[in-house]
Amino acid sequence: MQSSIEVKVLLEEDLDLLVELVKENELYLSEEWPGIGTRYRNPKIKLQLRGVLESDDSNIWGVFIHSSLVGAVHVGYRELNSLEVGYFVSKQWSNQGVATAALQMFADKVSLEPCTIRATVNIDNVPSIKVVEKAGFTVIKRTSTKLIYCKAGS
């Protein structure tokens, strides 16, 4: 499976595909990134995602299987040599190791050296905890509601 997965930076021409993926999977957009929700409700989703694509402080990497967009990794630049990531894959590809493989591939492609990649996960989001741990991240901080993970670059 992993050989058919590819991650690459999304461009403006990929925006409509990303919007459709978010809608089909009933995701909602938080201030910064899509999250699991009960229904897609944000009428400004395309505008919001375009803002992320055009930002100097963040970008979006697409997760592709056989050239089809199936998920995304959102990257926010926190400070010099430090990134914050968020990710999702479509329901069709959940629980098949796609998110873990994509996160590992992203971390391998990051060109900042040394670089720290952080992921913040809700403490009750067991599938996401499994993804980051399998991708080689370790817990650096715990709060009552969140786990903060880190992966150091090479």
Side-chain angles (χ1 to χ4, degrees):
M1 166 71 75
Q2 188 163 345
S3 63
S4 62
I5 300 171
E6 179 184 14
V7 293
K8 61 184 179 182
V9 174
L10 291 181
L11 305 172
E12 178 73 24
E13 55 263 25
D14 301 313
L15 184 59
D16 287 335
L17 290 173
L18 182 60
V19 169
E20 283 308 308
L21 188 65
V22 169
K23 287 180 180 180
E24 287 170 6
N25 287 275
E26 298 180 333
L27 300 173
Y28 70 89
L29 287 182
S30 65
E31 280 184 29
E32 299 173 353
W33 185 236
I36 301 302
T38 54
R39 294 288 306 158
Y40 160 77
R41 293 194 182 120
N42 188 340
K44 298 179 182 177
I45 185 172
K46 189 170 185 174
L47 184 64
Q48 190 170 354
L49 288 171
R50 178 176 283 119
V52 173
L53 287 176
E54 294 173 349
S55 171
D56 291 335
D57 297 331
S58 63
N59 65 22
I60 302 172
W61 291 56
V63 179
F64 294 85
I65 296 180
H66 302 298
S67 301
S68 295
L69 183 65
V70 300
V73 177
H74 171 252
V75 184
Y77 301 97
R78 299 175 54 84
E79 54 197 47
L80 184 63
N81 292 338
S82 180
L83 308 173
E84 179 82 23
V85 296
Y87 50 86
F88 75 93
V89 295
S90 67
K91 293 175 188 175
Q92 170 188 354
W93 294 100
S94 294
N95 299 314
Q96 296 181 46
V98 174
T100 300
L103 193 55
Q104 288 171 329
M105 287 178 184
F106 165 78
D108 290 344
K109 287 185 176 199
V110 171
S111 60
L112 301 173
E113 296 179 13
C115 176
T116 300
I117 304 171
R118 291 175 44 145
T120 303
V121 181
N122 287 336
I123 205 156
D124 59 350
N125 189 344
V126 175
S128 194
I129 290 170
K130 289 179 182 179
V131 166
V132 296
E133 289 179 355
K134 285 181 183 178
F137 287 68
T138 55
V139 174
I140 60 168
K141 184 176 179 181
R142 298 173 193 264
T143 70
S144 60
T145 59
K146 304 218 183 272
L147 295 169
I148 300 173
Y149 287 84
C150 179
K151 182 171 185 172
S154 26

